[in-house]
Amino acid sequence: MSTAAQRMQVLVVGAGYAGATAAVRLAGRAAGRVDVTVVNPRPGFVNRLRLHHVAVGQRVPAPTLSTMLGTGVRFVEGQVTDLGLDTGRAVVAGPGGPRTVPFDRLVLATGSTTEVPVPGGEHAHAVGDIGAARRLRQALDGVGAGSDVAVVGGGFTGLETVAELAESRPDLRVRLVTTGEVGAWFTPHGAEHVRRTLGTLGVEAVGGRRVTAVEPDRVLLDDGDALPAALTVWCGGFSAPSLAWNAGLGVDERGAVLTDTRLRALTHHHVLAVGDAGHAPAPGGGRYSMSCQYAFPSAAHAADLLVAEALGTPDARPLDLGFTARVVSLGRRHAVLQPTDRRDTARGRAVTGRTALATKWFQTRGTVAAIGVERRFPGAVRWPHAAATRPVPAGSAA
Ligand SMILES: Cc1cc2nc3c(=O)[nH]c(=O)nc-3n(C[C@H](O)[C@H](O)[C@H](O)COP(=O)(O)OP(=O)(O)OC[C@H]3O[C@@H](n4cnc5c(N)ncnc54)[C@H](O)[C@@H]3O)c2cc1C
């Protein structure tokens, strides 16, 4: 049995899907050669995939993190406020006051939150983190029947949020404002289903317009028009917290740590960044999308590299990740399951109806269950590899 001084001290910052997965996999596979500490601001797990459900008042379970992580991981409740990358010490502000946590290796899994990049952002609500979702829920309670609500952003979060809002509050006039066409990411059949379903729910689609400012009772558009909005929900994009930048790590324009394909920070090799907090080069250029489909594999891969290092058998394999499909819910009765190629571009005929709904249900619950499974059976999280997934069609950009 190795002593604490001989064991590798790994600090995981953040216990969302990525941080929790990395921690339990590492603790489970490293056979007593690693001490794993996880720091997270709350003792309960936030199932971020369901924050739009929180916003409309649905009850979403928050499993206790210490139970989820198990006895092989030390859980510290608090927020990492400062990272000494050269000293190997992190400052944690927690309920018992500030403390310091030492580390040899750092796994940054701090996720992302909503950033509103236009004037008046303070008037906008969001669903990007639990605090924002709860505030939106309260604000919705104060919005009277017949009021106008604008949801800004036509990505997956915008689509899921606008549908949930319209379904739960049919007394409101709900608009979706997007820079592109609504549902443009999907193939034609999927896009048609998205537009039809939103129409059925009473959502007015305002496509091809950019919101340039948010005011307390309206949003301003790039063509000089304005839309009334007693409440604006910004779903226009996520950014990583500033902790990494403040610590001196190299980050991209959204604050995510720039890593190599082995998920090690380009500027500090003893730091690995996973999930939304990391920007690893994707095969087609750019980064992998901020998604669970990246959070779980990147976390599991980072854990495996650290296990190998702790066991004295260094492993330099790059992350090998392919994509197969995306599933988007449109309220409680509709969903679209869109097949993709290995680089995550929509291809082929979308699936709707019960199969899509069941897949979405499984995704939103299964992601939480997967962490418990990984804890009991370390190594259980698997993901599609690029070679085993649908090829990228000839002629697409390399
Ligand atoms: C409403 C909504 C719907 C979504 N739907 C989908 C979907 O259908 N499919 C999909 O693939 N993705 C979806 N996403 C995106 C997905 O939720 C994220 O990509 C995913 O949560 C990333 O996981 P993560 O572990 O990297 O980050 P997170 O889940 O955000 O976890 C990060 C954790 O780090 C903690 N943290 C942050 N800073 C600190 C600090 N300084 N110290 C300590 N802890 C810290 C946070 O509090 C949090 O607990 C959705 C997101 C939202 C908001």
Side-chain angles (χ1 to χ4, degrees):
M1 188 70 185
S2 52
T3 64
Q6 292 165 329
R7 289 193 292 268
M8 192 163 89
Q9 306 293 314
V10 177
L11 172 61
V12 180
V13 187
Y17 309 109
T21 301
V24 295
R25 188 172 178 111
L26 177 56
R29 299 194 95 182
R33 304 288 284 272
V34 174
D35 286 337
V36 184
T37 302
V38 174
V39 181
N40 195 69
R42 283 165 305 278
F45 181 79
V46 172
N47 185 357
R48 243 181 118 199
L49 295 190
R50 298 196 62 194
L51 286 183
H52 53 310
H53 294 160
V54 172
V56 298
Q58 289 181 35
R59 223 196 123 263
V60 175
T64 309
L65 268 171
S66 53
T67 309
M68 262 178 114
L69 297 170
T71 50
V73 171
R74 184 167 77 109
F75 174 64
V76 175
E77 183 183 339
Q79 176 109 9
V80 173
T81 55
D82 188 40
L83 285 171
L85 297 179
D86 298 328
T87 56
R89 302 184 88 73
V91 179
V92 179
R99 62 198 282 191
T100 317
V101 179
F103 61 87
D104 302 313
R105 299 286 178 274
L106 184 80
V107 178
L108 205 71
T110 44
S112 62
T113 54
T114 307
E115 195 189 356
V116 186
V118 298
E122 68 276 15
H123 303 303
H125 284 272
V127 292
D129 60 81
I130 185 75
R134 286 181 181 149
R135 285 192 295 278
L136 173 55
R137 186 192 164 179
Q138 278 186 348
L140 276 168
D141 286 344
V143 173
S147 299
D148 296 278
V149 171
V151 174
V152 184
F156 301 123
T157 310
L159 293 176
E160 293 198 335
T161 302
V162 79
E164 210 65 53
L165 272 173
E167 189 182 81
S168 65
R169 289 290 305 270
D171 59 320
L172 300 175
R173 270 198 303 270
V174 180
R175 293 188 182 86
L176 177 65
V177 191
T178 71
T179 49
E181 283 307 306
V182 173
W185 176 83
F186 295 84
T187 54
H189 170 251
E192 176 52 28
H193 187 77
V194 169
R195 287 193 282 265
R196 207 176 41 243
T197 305
L198 293 184
T200 312
L201 291 170
V203 174
E204 183 190 330
V206 183
R209 315 284 272 282
R210 182 178 296 277
V211 171
T212 54
V214 181
E215 295 184 352
D217 56 355
R218 62 180 191 163
V219 291
L220 307 185
L221 304 177
D222 55 354
D223 58 3
D225 272 358
L227 290 171
L231 201 141
T232 298
V233 186
W234 196 273
C235 296
F238 296 134
S239 292
S242 56
L243 180 70
W245 159 258
N246 294 342
L249 286 155
V251 300
D252 68 10
E253 69 289 350
R254 292 161 78 184
V257 177
L258 293 164
T259 72
D260 60 18
T261 53
R262 293 157 187 84
L263 313 179
R264 293 196 184 261
L266 296 183
T267 50
H268 297 76
H269 275 197
H270 63 308
V271 177
L272 291 91
V274 295
D276 287 5
H279 172 153
R287 59 159 292 162
Y288 294 98
S289 63
M290 288 185 173
S291 64
C292 280
Q293 288 161 304
Y294 182 65
F296 280 96
S298 61
H301 188 73
D304 290 350
L305 297 186
L306 289 173
V307 169
E309 191 183 344
L311 298 180
T313 54
D315 179 354
R317 268 174 311 143
L319 175 68
D320 179 5
L321 172 61
F323 294 84
T324 54
R326 290 249 182 183
V327 63
V328 175
S329 66
L330 299 166
R332 266 175 274 184
R333 288 185 292 278
H334 300 275
V336 186
L337 175 60
Q338 174 66 65
T340 65
D341 66 21
R342 64 175 58 147
R343 285 188 195 156
D344 208 17
T345 304
R347 298 270 173 247
R349 192 174 168 79
V351 178
T352 60
R354 283 187 191 170
T355 306
L357 258 185
T359 308
K360 188 68 199 183
W361 190 93
F362 182 76
Q363 184 201 42
T364 51
R365 277 75 178 171
T367 40
V368 182
I371 297 163
V373 173
E374 180 65 40
R375 191 190 72 239
R376 287 193 293 280
F377 307 102
V381 166
R382 307 260 169 128
W383 57 93
H385 290 179
T389 48
R390 197 180 166 108
V392 177
S396 35

